[in-house]
Amino acid sequence: MREYSPLILTCFAKWDVESGVFDTTLEQAHTLNISALAASSTHVFSGSRDYSVKAWDLATKTCTSEFSCPRNIVTALAYSPSAQLLFQGSEDLCVRAWDVRSSHGSAPSLQLGGYVYFPLCLALQAGEQLLATGCKGFNGVGCGVVLWDVRKPSAPLAQLAGHSQDVVSCVFSPARSGLLLTASKDGSVLAWDAAAPARTAQLQLGSRKLLSGLCAMSAAEQSFAAAAMDGSLTLFRCAAPQAEEMQVLFETDEAAAAAAAQMHS
């Protein structure tokens, strides 16, 4: 495998997408690997295996807030602009929300517990009151999706089952209220009606295609992209929470993706 330097793993950069050049580079942001990122129009938020979460002002290139808990390896981040809360998943089986306006070292504003398998991904629905978390698991044990109303943190709204391996990414549709998509290492993307809540559709990309990421592409066309560990990419459409199927729009050539992965290994 390729060896990665600690510098690469503990820093990050902001790109100017028009010019294609680095706009901001923050080196040695953490002492261990950066494991999660989130962003707003003015800040980038980073979480690390060094147990810390930091807020970075991109204009001044300085750390404006820092939060940490002992033995709290960060697994995922999601930011609520209206509440100015940064939600953090971690290996200690909790989701915490930090007020980024607070000073360094303050206590979390919110804590969601009761997890048996730690959360690997987080997503906030537009309106920022519904939080989805996808969890670690294996052979159908764990691998769940947990929904929370963040105004009522005492218990989750729902716990959904359907994946058979780690749920590595989740995303709400930017245009369709209640439409949640989740991607898993089992090679599938599942669509959920979060309002019901119930599973409504499945896109199976192959049990050997370990998915690693998922994002919304076009709100108008309801298109999404799923990335896999073999280097391949699939674009697909899921038009509504009640959709019975998802339509594949484009897939990269698996042989080319495998060759590229081998070249960079």
Side-chain angles (χ1 to χ4, degrees), residues 140 142-145 147 158-165 167 178-184 186-204 238 240-246:
C143 327
V145 178
L147 300 179
Q159 300 190 50
L160 309 174
H163 288 294
S164 60
Q165 303 293 341
V167 182
L179 175 57
L180 171 68
L181 277 74
T182 57
S184 169
D186 64 12
S188 71
V189 176
L190 300 184
W192 309 85
D193 182 352
R199 188 176 74 182
T200 60
Q202 176 172 337
L203 179 63
Q204 185 64 50
C238 185
Q242 296 78 23
E244 295 181 356
E245 63 181 22
M246 290 178 269

Side-chain angles (χ1 to χ4, degrees), residues 9-166:
L9 294 172
T10 58
C11 73
F12 56 88
K14 172 174 172 267
W15 287 84
D16 184 319
V17 295
E18 293 185 355
S19 66
V21 299
F22 287 114
D23 180 77
T24 302
T25 303
L26 299 170
E27 297 185 352
Q28 294 299 331
H30 292 270
T31 58
L32 292 175
N33 298 12
I34 293 174
S35 49
L37 290 172
S40 70
S41 59
T42 59
H43 286 73
V44 167
F45 310 98
S46 58
S48 171
R49 295 186 65 84
D50 66 9
Y51 310 149
S52 71
V53 174
K54 298 183 180 182
W56 301 89
D57 186 320
L58 291 175
T60 63
K61 303 180 180 64
T62 58
C63 178
T64 57
S65 299
E66 179 177 354
F67 313 102
S68 64
C69 290
R71 305 181 65 82
N72 179 26
I73 294 175
V74 180
T75 59
L77 295 174
Y79 180 61
S80 168
S82 62
Q84 296 191 56
L85 290 177
L86 182 64
F87 290 85
Q88 171 222 327
S90 61
E91 289 191 6
D92 66 354
L93 306 178
C94 284
V95 172
R96 294 176 177 84
W98 305 97
D99 188 336
V100 298
R101 298 165 296 185
S102 300
S103 60
H104 291 51
S106 61
S109 300
L110 184 68
Q111 184 164 312
L112 308 174
Y115 286 88
V116 178
Y117 301 89
F118 61 79
L120 292 172
C121 57
L122 307 174
L124 281 165
Q125 184 175 250
E128 303 166 11
Q129 295 173 347
L130 183 62
L131 176 72
T133 67
C135 298
K136 190 171 181 60
F138 183 71
N139 283 346
V141 179
C143 327
V145 178
V146 183
L147 300 179
W148 297 87
D149 182 336
V150 297
R151 300 166 298 180
K152 303 173 182 178
S154 58
L157 284 176
Q159 300 190 50
L160 309 174
H163 288 294
S164 60
Q165 303 293 341
D166 294 351

